[in-house]
Amino acid sequence: MKVLMAVGEKNLSQILKGNFVDAGFEVAQEEVLHRDYLDEKIDFERPDLLILHDRQLPSQYDDKQQNEEELIKLIEKWRRIYDTQMRVVVMCERERKDPFLGQLVSRNVLDIFNERQIPTAAFIQQLQNPPKYINVARYGLTESDIDSLMETDEKATTQKDMESELEEEQKSPFLKKPKLPKIPKSTRPLFSFNVSQKVAEQTEIALQERRIILVVSPFDRSGSSFIAHQLAYGIAKHGVGVKYFENPFKNPYSFDRFAGATDVPNYFSPFSEIMEMDHNEYIREWTKEGVNIQALNPMYEQKLEEEQFSISRFLRQLIAVHDAPYLIVDIGCDESKQTYDELIEIASDVLVVVDSDLSKLELFEQYSMSEKFGWIHNLLLKDKTTLIANKYVKGVDGSLPLETFVKVPHFNPLWVFNAQVDGTFAFSGAEKEQAEGIRNVLKLVLDKKTLKKKKGKVSKIKNWLPGFDNLKDEEQMEEIT
């Protein structure tokens, strides 16, 4: 069977292709990158299977209703032209009762994968077998949808036959509704179909060594954002691509900290959606001293709720970064959220930042079972977690929650203040002390090759990601060992 990919997400598409090839499918060399080219590609390739993502594949319509209507009309047209010769497979992330799913079923789309994690065996098994209504029976359909479906079936199935088929299919582990498993403890995002070493290697290539670093703290004013900023700047100084994500669920703070109102007054963060007609009025990318920053602009935006910015959107933004292998997510001090739980599972490193305030440290220890602090205490049990002792003072060791930790010194307040006034990462006139103070944190995340000292300059960084250019002025990079 020949497969045509129209997923619209490069990394996911690569993983899917590998699975299809392993299963003996023929995969069209070129994939569809926009809905406008679907008809042309289908006519040329004449695929048996069309793998389509309802939202990832770009469309000329931004309006949700228009977008869905366009897809339904396309499917209706293909059905009239190709009938059963082309099987349409739709991947999506929607509520089970979403009426759009019912509309798909009524157009004889009997392969709908509506989960964030899809067991590979079930995915391949379903597409190797003939399409069956039972695969989509769990989606709520209206009476008109059911009537439409029944009218287009070539063979009518009696109620008795359907019940018999349902009873038979329920015995199969592949065709039951897959239960969403807990996200595996991995440094990779959720778009994975891990069934073989080859697929694992494809995932590795597709995600190109992205390293996701979360920075959290049990208390405000402990310096978690300061550590996140300094870590991002230190990575950038080594000529490696890095992107800093401000916490979208907290009041904006990084935009003003780095003089956004002066440098990029028309910046509008990718955390928020804007109308297509307004795209030319704003910029969506902001880079400061080598660090790509994604932060809310308080002139146009305010903090979001989890319902407004789901974990799936957050993950898509992390995966969409193609020019930075290091992604720093600044959670800071906040209460536990489902979004944080899922980000923690895919993170490669978690940094828990505390300072030398003894009263706060004692409170953190005494209330280890509380809702506010319990989730951070659980974090400290993970191998990927490192405790950062910010503003370290000798003698505080006995009050820290872990025996092993990384020390960050108390920087001269004047250096920090002047950097804030100037809206910069760098401590003007104290760059050497700044690099020395953060070097042990950098050692946690940068590989030895990057940190390796080379006389006169930093060793050339491997081109990890598509479009990632090595910094030309390597002689100006500051080596931290």
Side-chain angles (χ1 to χ4, degrees):
M1 285 191 288
K2 188 173 185 180
V3 180
L4 177 62
M5 303 295 299
V7 177
E9 209 290 315
K10 183 178 179 181
N11 298 323
L12 178 57
S13 180
Q14 282 186 295
I15 298 170
L16 287 171
K17 283 182 180 178
N19 281 275
F20 280 120
V21 171
D22 287 347
F25 289 83
E26 177 190 356
V27 181
Q29 187 173 1
E30 293 186 5
E31 60 185 90
V32 183
L33 302 177
H34 195 284
R35 281 191 193 173
D36 288 349
Y37 304 111
L38 276 166
D39 287 337
E40 178 183 343
K41 282 290 183 182
I42 291 170
D43 183 58
F44 178 76
E45 298 286 355
R46 293 302 171 99
D48 302 291
L49 283 175
L50 172 66
I51 312 298
L52 182 70
H53 199 292
D54 69 328
R55 289 176 180 166
Q56 292 283 4
L57 187 66
S59 165
Q60 61 178 309
Y61 298 109
D62 289 326
D63 178 74
K64 181 176 179 293
Q65 184 176 350
Q66 289 181 311
N67 187 292
E68 292 178 352
E69 288 177 354
E70 178 193 34
L71 188 55
I72 292 297
K73 288 179 180 178
L74 283 171
I75 291 173
E76 287 178 341
K77 179 172 64 176
W78 299 332
R79 190 173 181 187
R80 288 194 302 270
I81 298 173
Y82 305 106
D83 196 14
T84 58
Q85 296 177 24
M86 184 177 74
R87 183 172 172 182
V88 179
V89 180
V90 176
M91 304 183 73
C92 55
E93 294 176 37
R94 294 172 178 263
E95 293 294 330
R96 179 176 171 180
K97 295 183 179 180
D98 192 320
F100 178 72
L101 300 179
Q103 293 181 47
L104 289 177
V105 175
S106 72
R107 272 73 181 180
N108 208 31
V109 177
L110 303 182
D111 298 285
I112 300 174
F113 295 93
N114 190 37
E115 292 81 25
R116 188 187 306 144
Q117 288 183 319
I118 305 169
T120 308
F123 181 81
I124 296 298
Q125 177 82 10
Q126 181 169 321
L127 297 184
Q128 285 176 327
N129 290 321
K132 297 180 180 180
Y133 172 74
I134 190 63
N135 294 337
V136 292
R138 61 184 177 273
Y139 300 120
L141 305 180
T142 65
E143 292 300 324
S144 60
D145 289 330
I146 295 174
D147 290 341
S148 177
L149 173 64
M150 299 305 292
E151 288 171 3
T152 55
D153 285 340
E154 292 184 0
K155 294 182 180 180
T157 305
T158 65
Q159 181 65 29
K160 182 177 180 180
D161 291 335
M162 290 183 66
E163 290 175 358
S164 175
E165 184 181 16
L166 175 60
E167 183 178 345
E168 178 183 349
E169 296 300 333
Q170 284 178 336
K171 297 177 183 178
S172 169
F174 297 113
L175 298 178
K176 291 180 180 179
K177 179 184 177 183
K179 295 181 179 179
L180 289 178
K182 292 183 178 179
I183 303 172
K185 293 183 178 180
S186 165
T187 59
R188 304 298 169 213
L190 300 176
F191 298 110
S192 60
F193 294 68
N194 297 314
V195 289
S196 66
Q197 181 62 30
K198 183 174 181 180
V199 175
E201 290 172 359
Q202 291 168 343
T203 306
E204 184 80 7
I205 295 171
L207 296 173
Q208 296 291 331
E209 295 294 339
R210 236 178 231 93
R211 190 151 184 171
I212 300 173
I213 305 160
L214 305 188
V215 185
V216 305
S217 177
F219 293 101
D220 277 323
R221 312 301 297 173
S222 294
S224 55
S225 291
F226 175 81
I227 294 297
H229 293 160
Q230 292 302 311
L231 178 60
Y233 179 59
I235 293 172
K237 288 285 285 182
H238 276 71
V240 183
V242 58
K243 185 164 185 174
Y244 166 83
F245 290 83
E246 180 185 71
N247 189 339
F249 308 126
K250 300 187 70 177
N251 289 322
Y253 48 92
S254 295
F255 187 79
D256 291 329
R257 165 65 182 84
F258 295 109
T262 301
D263 296 350
V264 285
N266 60 332
Y267 171 80
F268 206 119
S269 86
F271 286 130
S272 305
E273 296 181 358
I274 57 178
M275 297 180 64
E276 182 68 29
M277 59 184 294
D278 294 329
H279 276 201
N280 293 332
E281 297 183 18
Y282 303 102
I283 62 171
R284 305 285 262 176
E285 291 288 330
W286 175 25
T287 300
K288 185 88 173 186
E289 296 171 276
V291 179
N292 189 286
I293 302 174
Q294 182 165 320
L296 297 171
N297 181 346
M299 291 190 290
Y300 306 125
E301 305 169 86
Q302 57 185 352
K303 68 177 182 179
L304 305 175
E305 300 297 331
E306 276 193 289
E307 295 76 14
Q308 297 173 292
F309 192 74
S310 65
I311 181 61
S312 60
R313 284 186 59 195
F314 213 140
L315 289 176
R316 281 198 291 270
Q317 292 203 8
L318 294 175
I319 293 173
V321 180
H322 297 298
D323 56 354
Y326 286 86
L327 309 177
I328 299 176
V329 182
D330 180 11
I331 292 176
C333 173
D334 203 352
E335 295 180 355
S336 176
K337 287 182 170 60
Q338 183 179 354
T339 298
Y340 301 158
D341 292 340
E342 304 216 27
L343 287 174
I344 287 163
E345 293 300 332
I346 66 165
S348 49
D349 302 88
V350 179
L351 308 183
V352 176
V353 179
V354 297
D355 61 14
S356 298
D357 189 318
L358 292 178
S359 62
K360 289 196 297 186
L361 291 173
E362 290 175 1
L363 188 66
F364 179 58
E365 186 64 30
Q366 291 167 357
Y367 288 88
S368 61
M369 301 298 291
S370 68
E371 183 177 354
K372 179 175 175 59
F373 298 135
W375 73 284
I376 297 182
H377 275 279
N378 289 335
L379 273 183
L380 292 172
L381 300 176
K382 295 180 179 291
D383 293 336
K384 68 175 69 175
T385 302
T386 303
L387 181 67
I388 307 296
N390 188 34
K391 303 178 185 177
Y392 174 76
V393 176
K394 187 176 181 179
V396 76
D397 308 43
S399 298
L400 295 175
L402 292 181
E403 294 181 2
T404 304
F405 56 89
V406 172
K407 304 173 185 177
V408 176
H410 197 301
F411 290 103
N412 187 321
L414 186 59
W415 300 342
V416 179
F417 176 77
N418 287 336
Q420 292 176 343
V421 172
D422 297 337
T424 63
F425 288 98
F427 297 165
S428 180
E431 290 85 356
K432 184 177 180 180
E433 293 85 351
Q434 181 181 16
E436 176 69 20
I438 201 69
R439 74 172 180 180
N440 288 331
V441 182
L442 279 172
K443 284 183 178 181
L444 297 173
V445 298
L446 286 182
D447 59 81
K448 292 181 180 179
K449 183 177 180 181
T450 305
L451 286 168
K452 185 178 179 181
K453 191 172 183 178
K454 192 171 183 179
K455 189 175 181 180
K457 63 178 181 178
V458 172
S459 57
K460 191 172 182 180
I461 306 300
K462 183 180 178 182
N463 187 1
W464 284 343
L465 292 176
F468 171 64
D469 296 322
N470 296 313
L471 199 62
K472 294 181 180 179
D473 299 328
E474 292 179 333
E475 293 79 8
Q476 298 180 9
M477 301 180 197
E478 184 166 4
E479 177 67 2
I480 298 177
T481 58

